[in-house]
Amino acid sequence: MFKKLSILSILIVAALYLLLFSSLLFFLNEPTRVDGNRIAYSIFLSVSTAAVSTIFSMIVALPSAYALSRYNFFGKTIVDALLELPLVVSPLALGAIVLLFFDNPIGKWLAAHGITPIFQISGIIVAQFITIVGVAIRMIKQAFDSVPRYYENVARSLGANSFQSFRTVVIPLAKKGILASFMVCFAKSIGEFGATLMIAGSMPFKTETIPIGIFLSLSTANISRAVWLIIILILIGLTSLIASRYIIR
Amino acid sequence: MIELNKITLKRGDFVLNQISFNIKKGEIYLLLGDSGSGKTTILELISGFIKPDSGKIIMNDNDIVRLSPDKRNITYLPQNMSLFPHLSIVNNILYGIKMQGISLDRHYYDMLISRLEIADILEDYPEHISGGQTQRAALARAMIVKPKLLLLDEPFSALHPSLRYELEDLLKSIAQEFNLTILAVSHDIDEALHLSDVISFLHNGEIIQTAKRNEIYFRPRTAEVAKFFGIKNLFDGKITNADEDRLKIETVFGSINVRRTYREKGIQTEENIVWGIHSDEVRIIRKEHKEVRLNRISGTISRVFPRGQHWNISLLCGAAMLNITIPDFIYKRLHISKKDKINIELPEERIFIIMRPPANKQIYRKLKLG
């Protein structure tokens, strides 16, 4: 009985999503006001900034996750909790924090020396980075946790230094988890909206990512454009998630 | 070759207390003890994965306590042998050579591969080879870097006994052939007695006894060691006479004679001791045997039950119970059964004496009553 109920509940959720997605099809007959170049720019901007922010987050996440997985250090519990903040705090608030940071004396000094992401493409990368880096660290930490410590011990006793054992044993054994984390972070970056809006703004042909494009299209009642952008976003996201499932398997 | 000198480590409630021992080149040294006694921790200390609170680890006249694991030339093999699953067997074996950037001794490599009989599996991955092949490949990987010391953590405990004996024999012969120095840890008495030259018995983070394998088995120094080796025949006694080569002890079975060894050098008359004997060292005297023997005791069989290829007999001698183990073929010849009266002999050279520290009093009483 419980088995049937549990399967029914997941089927209802899936049906709900399908109903929502299929409702988009009704609007494809709307008079076409789709600017191909603008959509292409949004796709290119989203994919390229997401790729850069995901690579940055991986560079930071690999050593950070290893430290959290293997070492005990002062303040570890607090650091661990901080990493979960982006999961519970609204991206809009995170973006607002960055915006306000560049209004404080340090931020103003940085801006005066040309270092500011506000209303810049680099702002999109910053926005995506701050929302995904915590997720990347958490996912990679789980991958490292699943690599038994004794493999590293054996590697060390055979003459590998700590970086060699990390590179030749830990990374290959955690490879699937790391790749899955990359795909999830990439998909999440492409879909990032709140922090991007706060930091980079919503300027067509400059900071208009796919989600910003959806927002701008709806605000100007260009439904068909919004629908096409949503479909593109869903396709990229779904492809990434399915790919990550295959990688883990 | 390697010497541990008063190594102390405290981790929460667990304490390794003043661990000292010395392993000679070419020796197979074994740390024996229950789970949680500190065996694996000692291996991790010697490997360099953890640092002691105090004490020294001297290898070839140098203290290596502060040296990182990759600089020690001590190879560690954990219980499951830990072949890297993402590397083929040949790449597993050559891993240490690549990491250390040393050139491969082709002759030595070929000799190892042929001696360990793993030529056929070199291109395979660890998940596709058997348990025995895993052990052989792991041994090759550990030996290819020519370590000064090989550390084995419960090396063959997960294997079927027949395969285990085969691999233990192989390890012993290879150790001799290549003059390997090995420190192994185990909780398995058979493995310890079969594999090692010298055994240290570890209990609650302390070494209780270190001796050659026969001595520790036949002459345990404390009740903990005796209990670990499954000795149930432990009894109180009082020395009534102490000659140069023989001791007389007043026991619950009457007066018995014991051959005196170097260990009982300082023993005095009137001293309270604990004495014991392995159940398979107690000899049953056949009825037709009329010859007068030392340490002859009579008793009534209260229980007989089979245990593998042996029979265990509980013999009630007055107020005390003596445990006897005899092989199946002897049991069949003796035609004995419950409630039979039999005579037994306690060979004087097989009785061991445990000096009695006050702290162990409780254990002895418990064992005697049990």
Side-chain angles (χ1 to χ4, degrees):
Chain A
M1 184 63 183
F2 178 71
K3 182 182 168 186
K4 283 178 185 167
L5 270 176
S6 58
I7 293 173
L8 185 68
S9 71
I10 190 65
L11 288 178
I12 289 171
V13 173
L16 184 68
Y17 276 117
L18 275 176
L19 185 71
L20 288 171
F21 294 156
S22 58
S23 68
L24 294 171
L25 301 173
F26 289 103
F27 298 96
L28 287 176
N29 292 330
E30 288 274 311
T32 309
R33 285 191 289 145
V34 178
D35 179 346
N37 284 343
R38 196 168 155 187
I39 287 185
Y41 179 84
S42 291
I43 295 170
F44 172 75
L45 185 66
S46 288
V47 171
S48 54
T49 52
V52 172
S53 62
T54 306
I55 289 168
F56 275 140
S57 68
M58 289 291 130
I59 291 168
V60 173
L62 283 168
S64 308
Y66 186 75
L68 278 176
S69 171
R70 292 293 195 262
Y71 306 125
N72 283 320
F73 53 88
F74 179 74
K76 182 178 174 178
T77 315
I78 296 166
V79 171
D80 208 12
L82 269 175
L83 292 174
E84 280 180 5
L85 264 187
L87 303 176
V88 291
V89 174
S90 153
L92 204 72
L94 282 174
I97 293 168
V98 176
L99 198 65
L100 293 172
F101 171 81
F102 281 93
D103 205 30
N104 75 20
I106 302 170
K108 280 178 181 168
W109 183 87
L110 285 170
H113 290 80
I115 303 168
T116 176
I118 309 301
F119 304 128
Q120 304 291 328
I121 290 176
S122 59
I124 303 169
I125 294 168
V126 170
Q128 290 170 346
F129 179 82
I130 58 168
T131 50
I132 63 168
V133 71
V135 178
I137 293 174
R138 190 133 315 265
M139 283 185 77
I140 295 174
K141 180 188 175 288
Q142 274 179 7
F144 287 159
D145 285 345
S146 69
V147 177
R149 191 69 183 257
Y150 47 72
Y151 287 123
E152 278 174 271
N153 286 348
V154 169
R156 298 296 313 275
S157 83
L158 288 168
N161 61 36
S162 47
F163 181 67
Q164 281 175 321
S165 74
F166 175 68
R167 183 175 59 80
T168 59
V169 174
V170 182
I171 295 274
L173 292 178
K175 187 175 66 187
K176 286 182 176 181
I178 295 168
L179 284 174
S181 158
F182 185 95
M183 298 308 288
V184 168
C185 288
F186 180 73
K188 197 168 156 57
S189 293
I190 288 199
E192 209 299 306
F193 170 70
T196 307
L197 184 70
M198 277 289 122
I199 302 169
S202 54
M203 291 170 279
F205 286 106
K206 190 175 182 190
T207 58
E208 189 184 4
T209 57
I210 298 173
I212 298 283
I214 295 166
F215 168 71
L216 289 176
S217 302
L218 288 175
S219 60
T220 55
N222 189 343
I223 304 297
S224 61
R225 190 169 173 274
V227 167
W228 278 112
L229 285 169
I230 291 168
I231 289 171
I232 291 164
L233 193 64
I234 289 171
L235 285 177
I236 295 173
L238 266 182
T239 311
S240 304
L241 290 176
I242 291 167
S244 74
R245 292 273 192 291
Y246 271 101
I247 290 166
I248 289 172
R249 203 184 291 171
Chain B
M1 217 296 285
I2 187 160
E3 182 191 345
L4 267 74
N5 191 351
K6 295 183 179 172
I7 289 288
T8 301
L9 177 83
K10 192 173 185 321
R11 289 283 183 277
D13 291 338
F14 176 76
V15 180
L16 264 186
N17 195 9
Q18 304 265 322
I19 298 293
S20 297
F21 59 84
N22 188 6
I23 308 172
K24 293 185 188 124
K25 187 157 177 55
E27 195 169 63
I28 301 182
Y29 197 103
L30 194 131
L31 292 172
L32 182 67
D34 284 318
S35 304
S37 57
K39 306 184 297 288
T40 301
T41 309
I42 292 177
L43 291 194
E44 288 178 343
L45 281 162
I46 297 173
S47 308
F49 305 137
I50 46 176
K51 301 261 182 287
D53 297 336
S54 64
K56 289 178 178 174
I57 301 173
I58 311 285
M59 194 160 73
N60 298 338
D61 301 326
N62 296 314
D63 186 4
I64 58 165
V65 158
R66 302 287 153 209
L67 215 56
S68 68
D70 50 306
K71 302 274 188 289
R72 295 189 180 201
N73 201 7
I74 293 175
T75 314
Y76 172 66
L77 275 184
Q79 202 169 351
N80 54 8
M81 298 290 132
S82 308
L83 286 178
F84 304 128
H86 61 295
L87 298 180
S88 65
I89 300 304
V90 65
N91 283 327
N92 260 286
I93 293 170
L94 297 177
Y95 182 85
I97 295 280
K98 285 177 187 163
M99 290 303 111
Q100 292 185 28
I102 50 177
S103 55
L104 175 67
D105 181 344
R106 192 74 214 186
H107 175 68
Y108 179 65
Y109 170 82
D110 290 340
M111 202 158 63
L112 267 183
I113 300 299
S114 123
R115 191 69 183 80
L116 290 163
E117 297 170 16
I118 49 173
D120 295 343
I121 56 160
L122 288 176
E123 298 306 322
D124 290 337
Y125 278 79
E127 62 180 321
H128 297 126
I129 61 173
S130 69
Q133 288 170 328
T134 301
Q135 312 277 333
R136 288 160 188 267
L139 207 54
R141 181 181 64 178
M143 287 176 66
I144 197 79
V145 292
K146 298 180 181 167
K148 286 180 184 149
L149 177 68
L150 178 59
L151 304 176
L152 302 173
D153 192 351
E154 311 258 359
F156 309 117
S157 59
L159 298 175
H160 186 271
S162 61
L163 181 58
R164 207 174 72 187
Y165 293 141
E166 184 192 317
L167 286 167
E168 282 167 5
D169 282 340
L170 178 70
L171 180 67
K172 278 175 81 168
S173 65
I174 280 188
Q176 204 171 18
E177 211 173 307
F178 293 91
N179 199 22
L180 267 181
T181 309
I182 296 174
L183 170 61
V185 306
S186 182
H187 66 274
D188 188 302
I189 298 166
D190 284 342
E191 186 169 82
L193 295 173
H194 188 210
L195 200 62
S196 62
D197 302 316
V198 180
I199 296 173
S200 278
F201 181 79
L202 204 64
H203 183 70
N204 286 341
E206 261 183 272
I207 289 181
I208 306 287
Q209 184 176 0
T210 296
K212 293 202 169 171
R213 60 165 179 260
N214 277 350
E215 181 171 346
I216 200 167
Y217 181 73
F218 288 113
R219 298 201 163 270
R221 189 180 286 161
T222 70
E224 288 93 342
V225 184
K227 225 171 119 181
F228 190 85
F229 282 112
I231 302 170
K232 289 180 182 166
N233 295 326
L234 287 177
F235 306 97
D236 287 319
K238 187 176 191 176
I239 306 289
T240 53
N241 191 21
D243 284 348
E244 199 176 314
D245 56 354
R246 189 165 281 159
L247 298 167
K248 194 166 260 212
I249 310 170
E250 190 53 44
T251 74
V252 69
F253 306 112
S255 185
I256 62 165
N257 291 282
V258 177
R259 185 83 55 86
R260 193 171 187 167
T261 68
Y262 74 96
R263 278 182 21 178
E264 293 92 29
K265 214 161 49 176
I267 213 158
Q268 304 283 331
T269 309
E270 296 297 305
E271 207 164 325
N272 288 317
I273 50 99
V274 170
W275 65 278
I277 187 166
H278 276 275
S279 60
D280 54 359
E281 296 289 345
V282 179
R283 291 177 196 157
I284 296 175
I285 304 171
R286 288 202 214 177
K287 282 171 195 157
E288 61 271 18
H289 220 295
K290 299 294 179 198
E291 191 188 323
V292 178
R293 303 238 186 149
L294 269 179
N295 302 338
R296 188 179 171 133
I297 297 168
S298 299
T300 308
I301 295 174
S302 69
R303 199 168 163 232
V304 185
F305 59 97
R307 197 168 178 188
Q309 292 297 305
H310 291 81
W311 286 80
N312 284 1
I313 299 166
S314 301
L315 189 71
L316 194 61
C317 310
M321 189 73 80
L322 197 69
N323 292 283
I324 306 168
T325 303
I326 52 172
D328 187 54
F329 71 95
I330 291 186
Y331 174 76
K332 281 176 183 158
R333 261 189 235 161
L334 287 172
H335 303 293
I336 52 175
S337 56
K338 197 175 165 184
K339 292 187 180 167
D340 280 357
K341 276 194 160 220
I342 58 167
N343 292 321
I344 55 112
E345 181 201 352
L346 305 175
E348 59 171 351
E349 70 281 6
R350 292 303 191 191
I351 296 171
F352 59 85
I353 288 178
I354 294 172
M355 307 304 284
R356 186 173 202 170
N360 286 342
K361 225 170 172 177
Q362 189 96 27
I363 298 169
Y364 298 139
R365 194 170 299 134
K366 209 169 118 191
L367 285 167
K368 188 182 156 187
L369 290 172

